[in-house]
Amino acid sequence: GGGGAARAYSLCPYCYNYPPFENVSKGMACNACTIPTCMHSIVHNGICPCPECPSGVLVFDPLSRPKWKLDCSTCNCVVFLPTGAHKVSPSDDKCESC
């Protein structure tokens, strides 16, 4: 293919066909979902505001192994994490210096 990073994200087949609440559009990706009980939702995997757009959140993609990445919930921004990590997951710990 052409240049640039490919964008892929998890998509729940059930939620795709049966949106779980009113403000969810059919076909919405898991990285924009706000269902608190879903391990793929932005609630569990949202990391920080997107540096490229005003309303997006960089969301950890748990299926991107071994090239771990964060995808924006709104735009096409993709941030690749440093290589070499074998096990990566978001943490509830907050950085005190940032």
Side-chain angles (χ1 to χ4, degrees):
R7 182 172 181 191
Y9 41 82
S10 57
L11 187 66
C12 173
Y14 184 82
C15 290
Y16 178 82
N17 291 311
Y18 307 100
F21 45 89
E22 285 184 32
N23 63 346
V24 175
S25 59
K26 185 173 181 178
M28 181 183 75
C30 292
N31 72 343
C33 178
T34 58
I35 296 175
T37 57
C38 179
M39 64 181 253
H40 296 289
S41 75
I42 195 171
V43 174
H44 290 281
N45 294 316
I47 304 299
C48 63
C50 178
E52 300 291 326
C53 71
S55 61
V57 173
L58 290 179
V59 182
F60 174 68
D61 180 354
L63 304 177
S64 62
R65 184 175 140 187
K67 295 182 179 181
W68 301 106
K69 64 181 178 169
L70 308 175
D71 294 311
C72 179
S73 60
T74 305
C75 74
N76 289 326
C77 180
V78 177
V79 175
F80 288 94
L81 301 179
T83 59
H86 297 283
K87 185 176 181 182
V88 176
S89 63
S91 171
D92 289 334
D93 295 341
K94 304 292 181 198
C95 177
E96 297 299 324
S97 62
C98 298

